[in-house]
C-alpha cells in the first residue's frame, strides 16, 4: 500500500469515527473499510456495496473519476457513439431555477436490476454483495440489457479489443459496464474513481457497505437527504446522489 | 524486390536466432513429434504436468465461474497465474508463435482458444494499464 | 408437346429464382461474417441505437411468420374449406419466414459463436429466453400440422394440430410484443397494448405476404383465382389493416395522455425528422390508407389491386417497425427528472442519430432471401398449391 492509501485510510477511519461518535452510541467499533475478503470465500449477501455521490462537491469540467476508471479498466477515450463508456460526466441545469449540477453517471447497481431480468442467458447478474456484472463467458451480445437499462449505463464493444493491457478482461461483441472495480473491492480497496476523487481533494464520492451501520456511507445517507435516479421505477439503485 | 526479400529473410533469421538464444530451452511436449514449447518460467506447476495437460480447461472453467459469479478469489487455478508463469520471456506472452505456450499446444491439438479474446495474454507486470494505475497511486 | 416446353421454361425459371434467392442469402451471410470480423462498428448501430435495421427485418419476418398462419387457423378452427385448402402453403411460409427472421437475429449477435449458451444457460425471467422456446415450438407445431395435413392417414389429427398451432402463434406474437412491453424505462415501449397490437399487425402483414405468394403461384401455374375467394381474402386484409390502425392509434393516444410521454409523441409524430415522415407517409398513407382504397373502392379491388395493396402493407410494415424500433431508441431517456442536460460525453438528452450501413441492409435482406429460398424450393418439391373445390366455395 502506498502512502496516499495510508493517508486516505486514516482520513476515512478518523472521519467515520467522528461521525460514528456523533451519530450513534459510543463504544461502537471503528469503521474499517480496507478489509480484503479472505481467499476462497465468496461475496457475502450481508454486504451491499454502494456509492454516495455528493454533487455539491463535483466540479464542472473535472473528469478525474472517469480518467481513473479508463486507466484502471483499460477502455479507450471515447470519441464516437460506438465507443464504450463505463462512466461519463454529465452537467445538468435545473429547469425551474437554472442551478447547475455536475455528476458522474455509470451503472447504478440496482437491487432489482432490469438488465438481469431480461438477459436470456443469465450473463447479466447481480453478485451476492449487490454488484451488477456481465459474465462475458455467457454474454452472446444481444444487447437486450442495454434496451432495458433506464440509465443507458451499458456499452457494447463494437470493435476488436487489441491490447488487453489491464486486469479487466474486455472483448468484442460483449456488453460491459461499471463493475464498481470489483477486483479492487475484493482486495479491500476502493473503486478507482472514488480513490481518484478523494486523492485529488474533491471528496465527492463515498463508497462503502450500505448495510453496515458503522460505515461512512451509511452515516452520510442517514444524516443528509439523498436521491436515487428514476426512483419512480422502484429499482432501488445502490448509487445515490446528494444535491440533485 | 530482391533487396526487400533479403532484408525480410535476414530479419526472420535474426528473430529466430534471437528466440533460440533468449528462450532458455524449448521443451518437447508429447514426445519427439509433439510441439516444442517455450514454457516461460517453468518449474513445478499447480499440479502435475501430465494432469494439467488433460485437465487445465476444467480447472480454469470451474474457477472462472467461482470467481466471476460468486466472487471467490485467491485460487491457485487462475488464468492469470497460468499466464504469469508460462508467458515467454522473449515476447512476454503465451501467444504469438507456435512456440508460445498456449498457442503452440493448441495449434498442435487443433483446439481454438477463446480465452484471449478478452483476457490478457501478458503477465501482470507487462500490462500497461495496470502499471499506469499503480503509478497513478504513487 | 407444348406442355413439355412449358415445363422446361418453368424449370429454368425455378433455377433462376433459386439462384437469385441463394445470391441474396449468400450476400447476407457474407455481411454477417464481415460484421463479426470487424465488429458492429461497421453497422450504423451504436450505444444508443442498440437495435437497428437487422432487427427491423427480423421482427417483420417473425411477426409475419405468425400472421401467415391466419389462413390455416381460420380453416382449422372454423372448418372453412376455402381456408383449409390454403393451410399447407401458410404452414410452409410460416416456417420459411421464421427461419429467415431468426437467422438475421442470430447473426446480428455480438458473439454468434456463443449462441449455444442460450441453450445451456436459461434465465426464466427473460422474455428472450421464453421466445427461444416459443420459436422452436412454432417450428415443431407447424411441422406437425403440415404432416397431419399432407399425410392422408394423419388427416383426422389435423384439426387438433391446427388448434395447437393457433394457440401457439398467438402466444408467440404476444411474446414478441412483450420483448418491448417489458422495457419499463423507455418511453416508446413500456405499454401493455403492445402484445395485442403485434398480434393484429401480424394478421395484416402475414396475410399480405400470403396473398403475394399465392398470386405468384397461381399466375406461374396459369391458374385463375376464384373471384369469390379473392373477394373474401381481400376483405379480410382490409379488416386487418383497419384493426392494426386502431391499435397503433390507441398506443399513441394513450401516450399522448400521459404528460411524461408527450415530448416523445411530439418527436415521433411531429418534429422527429425522418420518423414522422415514415410514420405518416410510410405507414399511415402508403401502408394503410392507399391499400384500403385499393381494396374497398368499387372500381378497384381486382387481382392487381390486391397484389399492390399487399405490397404496400409490407412497405408500411417496414416503415412502422423502423419508427417503432429505431425512432423509439433515438429519443433520449428521461434519466434526470426536472433537469436539462447541459453537457455529457455520452450525448445524454440528445436525439441519437442512426444511418443504416450496407452490411446491415444485406444482412436483413439475406433473411428475406432465406425465406424466399425455402418457399421456392418447398413449393417446387411438394404440393403446396391451394386446390379449390368450386362446390365447397359455394357452401362456406
Amino acid at each position: 500500500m502506498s502512502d496516499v492509501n495510508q493517508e486516505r485510510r486514516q482520513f476515512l477511519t478518523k472521519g467515520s469515527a467522528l461521525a460514528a461518535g456523533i451519530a450513534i452510541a459510543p463504544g461502537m467499533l471503528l469503521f474499517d473499510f480496507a478489509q480484503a475478503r479472505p481467499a476462497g470465500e465468496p461475496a457475502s449477501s450481508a454486504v451491499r456495496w454502494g456509492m454516495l455521490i455528493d454533487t455539491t462537491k463535483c466540479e464542472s469540467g473535472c473528469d478525474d473519476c472517469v480518467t481513473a476508471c479508463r486507466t484502471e479498466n483499460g477502455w479507450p477515450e471515447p470519441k464516437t457513439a460506438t465507443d464504450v463508456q463505463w462512466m461519463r460526466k454529465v452537467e445538468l441545469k435545473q429547469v425551474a431555477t437554472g442551478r447547475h449540477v455536475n455528476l458522474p453517471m455509470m451503472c447504478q447497481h440496482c437491487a432489482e436490476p432490469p438488465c438481469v431480468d431480461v438477459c436470456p442467458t443469465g450473463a447479466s447478474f447481480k453478485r451476492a454483495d449487490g454488484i451488477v456484472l456481465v459474465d462475458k463467458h455467457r454474454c452472446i451480445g444481444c444487447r437486450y440489457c442495454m434496451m432495458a437499462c433506464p440509465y443507458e449505463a451499458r456499452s457494447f464493444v463494437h470493435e476488436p479489443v487489441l491490447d488487453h493491457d489491464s486486469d479487466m478482461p474486455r472483448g468484442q461483441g460483449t456488453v460491459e459496464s461499471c463493475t464498481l472495480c470489483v477486483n479492487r473491492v475484493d482486495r479491500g480497496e476502493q473503486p478507482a474513481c472514488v480513490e481518484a476523487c478523494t486523492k485529488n481533494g474533491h471528496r465527492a464520492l463515498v463508497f462503502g457497505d450500505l448495510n453496515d451501520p458503522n460505515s461512512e456511507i451509511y452515516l452520510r445517507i442517514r444524516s443528509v437527504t439523498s436521491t436515487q435516479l428514476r426512483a419512480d421505477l422502484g429499482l432501488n439503485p445502490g448509487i445515490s446522489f446528494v444535491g440533485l | 524486390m530482391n533487396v526487400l526479400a533479403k532484408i525480410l529473410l535476414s530479419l526472420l533469421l535474426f528473430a529466430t536466432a534471437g528466440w533460440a538464444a533468449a528462450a532458455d530451452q524449448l521443451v518437447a511436449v508429447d514426445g519427439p513429434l509433439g510441439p516444442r514449447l517455450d514454457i516461460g518460467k517453468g518449474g513445478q506447476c499447480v499440479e502435475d504436468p501430465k494432469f494439467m495437460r488433460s485437465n487445465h480447461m476444467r480447472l480454469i472453467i470451474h474457477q472462472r465461474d467461482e470467481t466471476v459469479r460468486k466472487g471467490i478469489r485467491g485460487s491457485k487455478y487462475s488464468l492469470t497465474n497460468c499466464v504469469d508463469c508460462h508467458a515467454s520471456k522473449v515476447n512476454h506472452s503465451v501467444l504469438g508463435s507456435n512456440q508460445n505456450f498456449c498457442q503452440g499446444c493448441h495449434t498442435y491439438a487443433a483446439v481454438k482458444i477463446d480465452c484471449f479474446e478478452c483476457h490478457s495474454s501478458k503477465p501482470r507486470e507487462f500490462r500497461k494499464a495496470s502499471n499506469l494505475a499503480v503509478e497513478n497511486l504513487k | 408437346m407444348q406442355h413439355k416446353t412449358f415445363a422446361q421454361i418453368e424449370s429454368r425459371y425455378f433455377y433462376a429464382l433459386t439462384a437469385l434467392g441463394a445470391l441474396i442469402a449468400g450476400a447476407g451471410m457474407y455481411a454477417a461474417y464481415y460484421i463479426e470480423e470487424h465488429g458492429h462498428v461497421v453497422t450504423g448501430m451504436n450505444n444508443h441505437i442498440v437495435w437497428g435495421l437487422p432487427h427491423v427485418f427480423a421482427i417483420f419476418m417473425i411477426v409475419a411468420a405468425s400472421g401467415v398462419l391466419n389462413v390455416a387457423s381460420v380453416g382449422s378452427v372454423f372448418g372453412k374449406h376455402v381456408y383449409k385448402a390454403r393451410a399447407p402453403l401458410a404452414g410452409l411460409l410460416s416456417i420459411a419466414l421464421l427461419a429467415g427472421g431468426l437467422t438475421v437475429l442470430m447473426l446480428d449477435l455480438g458473439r454468434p459463436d456463443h449462441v449455444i449458451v442460450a441453450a445451456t444457460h436459461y434465465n426464466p425471467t427473460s422474455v428472450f429466453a421464453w421466445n427461444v422456446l416459443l420459436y422452436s415450438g412454432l417450428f415443431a407445431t407447424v411441422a406437425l400440422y403440415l404432416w397431419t395435413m399432407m399425410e392422408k392417414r394423419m388427416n383426422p389429427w389435423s384439426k387438433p394440430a391446427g388448434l395447437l398451432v393457433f394457440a401457439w402463434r398467438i402466444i408467440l406474437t404476444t411474446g414478441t410484443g412483450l420483448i418491448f412491453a417489458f422495457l419499463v424505462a423507455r418511453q416508446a415501449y413500456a405499454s401493455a397494448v403492445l402484445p395485442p397490437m403485434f398480434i393484429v399487425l401480424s394478421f395484416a402483414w402475414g396475410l399480405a405476404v400470403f396473398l403475394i405468394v399465392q398470386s405468384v403461384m397461381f399466375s406461374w401455374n396459369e391458374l385463375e383465382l376464384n373471384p369469390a375467394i379473392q373477394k373474401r381474402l381481400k376483405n379480410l386484409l382490409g379488416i386487418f389493416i383497419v384493426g392494426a390502425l386502431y391499435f397503433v392509434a390507441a398506443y399513441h393516444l394513450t401516450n399522448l395522455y400521459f404528460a411524461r410521454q408527450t415530448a416523445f409523441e411530439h418527436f415521433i409524430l411531429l418534429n422527429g425528422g425522418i420518423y414522422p415522415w415514415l410514420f405518416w407517409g410510410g405507414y399511415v398513407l402508403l401502408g394503410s390508407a392507399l391499400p384500403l382504397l385499393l381494396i374497398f373502392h368499387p372500381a378497384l379491388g381486382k387481382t392487381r389491386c390486391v397484389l399492390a395493396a399487399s405490397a404496400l402493407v409490407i412497405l408500411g410494415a417496414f416503415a412502422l417497425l423502423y419508427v417503432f424500433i429505431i425512432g423509439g431508441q433515438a429519443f433520449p431517456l428521461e434519466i434526470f427528472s426536472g433537469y436539462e442536460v447541459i453537457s455529457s460525453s455520452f450525448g445524454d438528452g440528445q436525439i441519437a442519430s442512426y444511418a443504416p450501413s450496407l452490411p446491415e441492409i444485406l444482412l436483413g435482406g439475406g433473411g428475406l432471401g432465406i425465406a424466399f429460398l425455402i418457399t421456392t424450393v418447398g413449393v417446387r418439391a411438394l404440393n403446396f398449391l391451394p386446390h379449390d373445390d368450386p362446390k365447397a366455395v359455394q357452401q362456406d
Side-chain angles (χ1 to χ4, degrees):
Chain A
M1 288 294 145
S2 67
D3 294 342
V4 177
N5 215 354
Q6 289 295 342
E7 203 179 285
R8 176 182 53 74
R9 222 188 264 187
Q10 274 174 8
F11 161 75
L12 287 175
T13 314
K14 279 179 194 158
S16 51
L18 186 68
I22 296 163
I24 23 177
M28 299 286 283
L29 283 169
L30 290 188
F31 163 59
D32 183 16
F33 175 75
Q35 193 101 76
R37 200 171 54 247
E41 203 174 281
S44 158
S45 58
V47 175
R48 182 172 182 213
W49 296 119
M51 197 187 290
L52 183 69
I53 298 173
D54 189 342
T55 63
T56 61
K57 292 179 182 162
C58 183
E59 282 172 27
S60 171
C62 167
D63 65 351
D64 291 346
C65 51
V66 181
T67 309
C69 180
R70 285 205 294 111
T71 319
E72 172 70 27
N73 297 302
W75 51 278
E77 189 168 357
K79 294 186 179 77
T80 67
T82 49
D83 292 338
V84 301
Q85 297 200 30
W86 290 25
M87 194 179 203
R88 58 191 191 256
K89 265 301 289 286
V90 180
E91 183 161 356
L92 306 170
K93 188 172 88 175
Q94 195 172 35
V95 176
T97 64
R99 180 174 64 98
H100 279 230
V101 176
N102 285 279
L103 51 87
M105 258 311 275
M106 66 284 202
C107 171
Q108 303 291 298
H109 298 279
C110 306
E112 306 285 345
C115 55
V116 173
D117 288 341
V118 301
C119 177
T121 62
S124 197
F125 73 103
K126 191 180 73 169
R127 222 169 68 150
D129 54 6
I131 300 180
V132 177
L133 296 171
V134 180
D135 182 348
K136 286 163 195 174
H137 306 110
R138 283 197 200 173
C139 180
I140 56 174
C142 72
R143 286 104 81 201
Y144 197 15
C145 57
M146 297 174 72
M147 289 290 272
C149 177
Y151 309 104
E152 287 196 279
R154 287 199 161 174
S155 296
F156 181 63
V157 186
H158 285 77
E159 284 169 278
V161 178
L162 297 173
D163 42 352
H164 297 281
D165 57 1
S166 82
D167 284 345
M168 186 56 71
R170 301 183 54 240
Q172 180 198 331
T174 58
V175 172
E176 54 188 24
S177 61
C178 159
T179 66
L180 275 181
C181 286
V182 67
N183 35 20
R184 292 173 60 101
V185 170
D186 283 350
R187 284 199 300 263
E189 297 167 27
Q190 301 225 338
C193 56
V194 178
E195 191 167 85
C197 189
T198 308
K199 186 187 122 194
N200 296 345
H202 310 302
R203 302 182 202 283
L205 308 179
V206 179
F207 172 82
D209 179 5
L210 298 169
N211 288 345
D212 176 4
N214 301 315
S215 67
E216 186 192 1
I217 191 167
Y218 185 97
L219 296 168
R220 286 280 294 278
I221 289 177
R222 221 179 106 115
S223 58
V224 291
T225 309
S226 59
T227 43
Q228 296 167 324
L229 293 175
R230 289 303 309 261
D232 58 319
L233 297 172
L235 306 172
N236 187 12
I239 315 281
S240 35
F241 295 82
V242 172
L244 190 66
Chain B
M1 194 60 210
N2 208 1
V3 181
L4 186 69
K6 270 182 190 165
I7 291 171
L8 281 176
L9 190 68
S10 49
L11 270 176
L12 188 71
L13 281 171
F14 180 75
T16 322
W19 194 295
D24 300 353
Q25 63 215 31
L26 297 179
V27 176
V29 181
D30 202 22
L33 294 175
R36 293 170 59 77
L37 299 179
D38 175 353
I39 62 167
K41 265 184 219 155
Q44 174 58 43
C45 185
V46 290
E47 298 290 341
D48 172 61
K50 218 171 185 176
F51 176 84
M52 287 308 285
R53 224 165 276 158
S54 44
N55 292 298
H56 64 282
M57 61 305 243
R58 287 183 194 92
L59 297 176
I60 298 170
I61 281 193
H62 176 73
Q63 191 52 44
R64 90 177 188 199
D65 287 339
E66 298 282 294
T67 303
V68 175
R69 304 190 76 90
K70 294 187 195 154
I72 295 173
R73 304 270 179 186
S75 163
K76 58 180 178 174
Y77 305 123
S78 85
L79 186 65
T80 314
N81 280 354
C82 300
V83 173
D84 278 352
C85 263
H86 290 297
S88 154
K89 285 179 182 153
V90 183
N91 71 347
H92 310 298
S93 174
V94 290
L95 308 177
S97 81
N98 284 348
Q99 286 171 338
N100 284 87
F101 190 73
C102 295
Q103 187 179 336
C105 206
H106 273 258
T107 308
Y108 172 68
V111 178
K112 192 186 161 212
I113 333 175
D114 220 9
C115 307
F116 303 106
E117 282 175 39
C118 293
H119 287 274
S120 177
S121 61
K122 291 173 270 183
R124 264 173 278 221
E125 69 249 49
F126 289 99
R127 296 180 198 166
K128 194 173 67 202
S130 307
N131 291 334
L132 271 178
V134 172
E135 265 164 39
N136 277 357
L137 280 180
K138 282 170 193 161
Chain C
M1 197 60 196
Q2 203 171 1
H3 186 76
K4 200 182 172 189
T5 323
F6 169 72
Q8 281 169 345
I9 293 168
E10 195 231 6
S11 172
R12 211 174 291 165
Y13 267 129
F14 169 74
Y15 287 113
L17 285 176
T18 313
L20 181 72
L23 190 72
I24 296 170
M29 297 309 102
Y30 178 75
Y33 168 76
Y34 183 76
I35 293 171
E36 293 320 317
E37 193 70 8
H38 296 268
H40 277 63
V41 72
V42 299
T43 70
M45 289 177 271
N46 53 51
N47 285 322
H48 297 280
I49 312 283
V50 301
W51 289 349
L53 204 61
H55 302 81
V56 171
F57 277 86
I59 290 171
F60 170 77
M61 281 182 265
I62 289 166
V63 170
S66 147
V68 283
L69 291 165
N70 285 329
V71 196
S73 300
V74 178
S76 290
V77 180
F78 303 109
K80 302 276 182 199
H81 177 270
V82 169
Y83 293 99
K84 224 172 181 172
R86 283 161 175 74
L89 178 59
L92 173 71
L93 281 174
S94 175
I95 287 180
L97 284 166
L98 193 62
L102 290 184
T103 306
V104 175
L105 218 52
M106 216 107 90
L107 292 178
D108 173 73
L109 292 175
R111 298 294 308 253
D113 52 329
H114 279 188
V115 76
I116 191 70
V117 178
T120 56
H121 295 281
Y122 191 81
N123 176 15
T125 64
S126 168
V127 196
F128 255 18
W130 303 350
N131 281 343
V132 172
L133 292 184
L134 289 173
Y135 296 149
S136 25
L138 191 76
F139 275 124
T141 47
V142 171
L144 181 79
Y145 183 43
L146 283 176
W147 184 45
T148 61
M149 287 186 296
M150 300 183 99
E151 164 65 57
K152 273 227 163 62
R153 286 169 299 171
M154 293 299 292
N155 280 171
W157 291 97
S158 86
K159 185 161 178 151
L163 281 169
L164 177 68
V165 166
F166 176 69
W168 200 278
R169 56 170 286 223
I170 296 291
I171 297 170
L172 179 132
T173 315
T174 306
T176 310
L178 286 179
I179 290 175
F180 295 98
F182 282 176
L183 298 174
V184 287
R186 292 198 179 247
Q187 294 94 327
Y189 304 131
S191 166
V193 83
L194 295 179
M197 182 176 106
F198 269 80
I199 290 175
V200 179
L201 286 171
S202 86
F203 290 172
W205 301 350
L207 188 56
V209 171
F210 182 87
L211 289 177
I212 290 178
V213 175
Q214 178 184 254
S215 77
V216 170
M217 281 178 72
F218 270 70
S219 71
W220 195 350
N221 288 286
E222 294 180 330
L223 291 169
E224 192 104 9
L225 185 61
N226 184 325
I229 299 173
Q230 166 87 293
K231 195 175 169 202
R232 209 176 285 180
L233 288 173
K234 76 158 182 134
N235 286 348
L236 195 60
L237 181 64
I239 291 164
F240 289 158
I241 294 170
V242 173
L245 269 176
Y246 164 78
F247 271 97
V248 172
Y251 159 75
H252 285 293
L253 281 173
T254 45
N255 270 353
L256 277 169
Y257 268 86
F258 302 152
R260 64 188 156 84
Q261 302 282 56
T262 41
F264 167 70
E265 285 299 324
H266 264 262
F267 172 75
I268 285 291
L269 300 179
L270 283 177
N271 52 18
I274 186 176
Y275 305 111
W277 278 106
L278 280 175
F279 180 79
W280 295 108
Y283 171 67
V284 177
L285 195 71
L286 290 178
S288 304
L290 196 55
L292 284 176
L293 187 77
L294 287 166
I295 290 168
F296 289 123
H297 192 279
L300 303 166
K302 302 288 171 324
T303 310
R304 272 212 190 144
C305 293
V306 176
L307 197 61
S310 303
L312 284 169
V313 165
I314 293 170
L315 182 87
F318 275 89
L320 182 68
L321 282 176
Y322 194 94
V323 173
F324 180 73
I325 296 173
I326 294 160
Q329 296 171 80
F331 190 74
L333 286 183
E334 168 94 14
I335 301 174
F336 313 100
S337 186
Y339 290 86
E340 167 191 324
V341 180
I342 301 285
S343 73
S344 159
S345 59
F346 188 63
D348 288 285
Q350 306 271 316
I351 308 287
S353 61
Y354 172 78
S357 71
L358 185 63
E360 275 170 288
I361 299 168
L362 290 179
L363 175 59
L368 290 178
I370 288 171
F372 177 77
L373 209 55
I374 294 176
T375 312
T376 314
V377 174
V379 298
R380 167 91 178 176
L382 292 164
N383 184 11
F384 282 106
L385 186 76
H387 296 287
D388 291 312
D389 176 359
K391 275 183 211 156
V393 176
Q394 301 289 315
Q395 278 166 10
D396 278 355

